[in-house]
Amino acid sequence: MDDEQRKRVEELARERVKMAFGQTRIDEQTAGEVEQLLEREKPKNDEGSLFGRSDVLNASGHGASGSNGASVTVQGDVSQTSARMTDNIEEYHRAWQEYYRKYYQYHFGQEIQKKDAEHKAEVKNLLMHEDTIDENARLMQRLRQQVRGKTHASARKFRRSKHYIPIVVGLLVFLALVVIQYNRAFLAFVSAYITPVGNARGLEFLETDNADGPSRLMIPKINVNVPIIFGCGMDQASQRRCMRQGIMHFAVSGANAVPGENGNFAVSGHSSNDAFGGGDFKFIFSQLPRMTEGDLAYVNYEGVRYTYVVREIIVVDPDDVQSLRIGDERPVMTLITCYPIGTARQRMLIFMDQIAPLPDTAVDGTETAPDDEETTMAGISPTLLERMWARLTGGGL
């Protein structure tokens, strides 16, 4: 076998080795060419060949027959061929291992560098944000300290000035005057919300049928149980004196009936009044706006208990006395108080029909209105300041 054929055999042998390890495929033409070359080589001495005797490449693996020297030569060639194949395989595996090592080293190295860069950027951003927050907090603290310092300095300077005491005293006096003048508005709202509604105190006189004793008005829903004062004069001073003792019978021409008579039985009470005024009934009607149609009220008069039910509620001007003149065909009671609560701008009128005893038992009224009839419904008393001013100036109230 010449050198060219020897090289070709070596190439074909390498291809078969690669095929054995799955690196490539050997086609039928190449396999046939290998067989032809091996057939040519049989008659000759195989000492110089790459793989020794041709039967080394056969799958059977049997040694060739012949002399002992030939067998030794074949065995030596097989050993060399096997060692060379083992070296090639190991070199092949080392090459692939080195390739995969460099590949994964490069791949994971790039990922690690990328993650490391992202982490560093995130940390840097957080540190910058934290520095910004700390700086803003320090700036706000300095501003607060500056404002606090300026305020304290101004306060110290103002307290040391000669105007400090007069201004403080003036403010206190002003607040005291406001409380004295308008206390009834504050106290009326307080009374309207803290006074119990519908408890047993308003019903204590209803436990028995005994209606003897002084005349009284009882409204269980708003916890009212108050004396009724009759025979009051119609001037403002007389009305105020009567309402210190309870509620007053507001008798005007056309509306001067009493319980048990046909016509309008009108009574007036305070929803609010000056805290420095006299009497225990300054806020007796403070919850009257809670009344609604269908609510009941009771009156004890001359030993008889009369029951009334709310029919209508209206608000009128203080001088609208004509609203009380509703005729004398049936017995009616009207409750009068100042409205809105805490003021005397208007009057609330609550008309109530008598339902017991039966209205048919009512008689015609015989009482006449006094000669000094007022044209304005009773209102709140003057405040302490107004009374003091009237005394200083000698004017009337």
Side-chain angles (χ1 to χ4, degrees), residues 179-307:
V179 171
I180 292 173
Q181 180 67 21
Y182 299 103
N183 66 85
R184 57 191 173 200
F186 305 131
L187 296 177
F189 281 104
V190 172
S191 175
Y193 284 99
I194 68 173
T195 302
V197 177
N199 69 2
R201 288 198 308 166
L203 298 172
E204 59 185 7
F205 279 83
L206 300 177
E207 295 177 354
T208 65
D209 293 333
N210 184 12
D212 295 334
S215 299
R216 304 189 70 87
L217 169 68
M218 294 160 287
I219 308 177
K221 180 178 181 179
I222 59 175
N223 195 36
V224 167
N225 186 352
V226 58
I228 303 175
I229 311 302
F230 290 90
C232 300
M234 297 308 294
D235 60 284
Q236 292 287 335
S238 298
Q239 292 179 5
R240 292 165 186 161
R241 284 194 299 268
C242 286
M243 286 192 287
R244 291 175 186 172
Q245 307 170 44
I247 60 175
M248 63 164 290
H249 177 213
F250 187 74
V252 294
S253 59
N256 55 1
V258 295
E261 295 181 348
N262 289 319
N264 192 4
F265 167 52
V267 291
S268 178
H270 289 304
S271 61
S272 64
N273 203 16
D274 188 65
F276 300 98
D280 298 326
F281 304 97
K282 293 189 283 282
F283 306 100
I284 192 63
F285 277 170
S286 62
Q287 296 200 56
L288 204 62
R290 293 177 180 264
M291 298 288 287
T292 58
E293 293 184 16
D295 291 336
L296 299 177
Y298 305 89
V299 173
N300 288 348
Y301 180 73
E302 295 183 350
V304 180
R305 177 166 297 154
Y306 297 88
T307 304

Side-chain angles (χ1 to χ4, degrees), residues 121-136:
E122 184 177 1
V123 171
K124 183 177 180 181
N125 186 26
L126 291 175
L127 293 175
M128 292 178 61
H129 184 63
E130 184 177 359
D131 293 341
T132 304
I133 294 176
D134 293 341
E135 183 64 25
N136 292 337

Side-chain angles (χ1 to χ4, degrees), residues 4 33 42 148 157-158 206 231 248 260 263 309 321 366 384:
E4 184 176 355
E33 188 176 352
K42 282 183 180 180
R148 191 181 299 113
K157 182 178 179 181
F158 177 72
L206 300 177
M248 63 164 290
V309 61
V321 180
T366 57
L384 177 61

Side-chain angles (χ1 to χ4, degrees), residues 71-102:
S71 298
V72 171
T73 303
V74 171
Q75 292 176 359
D77 292 340
V78 170
S79 299
Q80 292 177 3
T81 303
S82 299
R84 194 179 311 164
M85 291 174 63
T86 302
D87 293 340
N88 290 337
I89 293 171
E90 291 178 354
E91 182 178 359
Y92 169 77
H93 281 292
R94 282 195 300 271
W96 274 105
Q97 289 174 357
E98 182 68 16
Y99 167 76
Y100 282 118
R101 184 184 67 79
K102 290 183 179 180

Side-chain angles (χ1 to χ4, degrees), residues 50-170:
L50 176 63
F51 300 103
R53 292 181 57 85
S54 60
D55 53 23
V56 175
L57 297 178
N58 293 332
S60 63
H62 297 290
S65 62
S67 63
N68 293 334
S71 298
V72 171
T73 303
V74 171
Q75 292 176 359
D77 292 340
V78 170
S79 299
Q80 292 177 3
T81 303
S82 299
R84 194 179 311 164
M85 291 174 63
T86 302
D87 293 340
N88 290 337
I89 293 171
E90 291 178 354
E91 182 178 359
Y92 169 77
H93 281 292
R94 282 195 300 271
W96 274 105
Q97 289 174 357
E98 182 68 16
Y99 167 76
Y100 282 118
R101 184 184 67 79
K102 290 183 179 180
Y103 172 79
Y104 286 113
Q105 182 179 5
Y106 173 78
H107 176 74
F108 287 112
Q110 291 292 324
E111 291 294 327
I112 292 173
Q113 291 179 1
K114 182 179 179 182
K115 294 294 184 182
D116 186 59
E118 293 177 356
H119 177 71
K120 289 181 179 179
E122 184 177 1
V123 171
K124 183 177 180 181
N125 186 26
L126 291 175
L127 293 175
M128 292 178 61
H129 184 63
E130 184 177 359
D131 293 341
T132 304
I133 294 176
D134 293 341
E135 183 64 25
N136 292 337
R138 288 192 293 269
L139 190 63
M140 291 297 297
Q141 185 177 3
R142 285 198 298 269
L143 289 175
R144 284 196 295 268
Q145 291 176 351
Q146 292 177 2
V147 172
R148 191 181 299 113
K150 290 182 179 180
T151 303
H152 290 169
S154 300
R156 287 193 298 269
K157 182 178 179 181
F158 177 72
R159 286 195 297 268
R160 292 171 184 170
S161 67
K162 60 182 180 180
H163 304 294
Y164 172 70
I165 294 179
I167 291 176
V168 172
V169 172

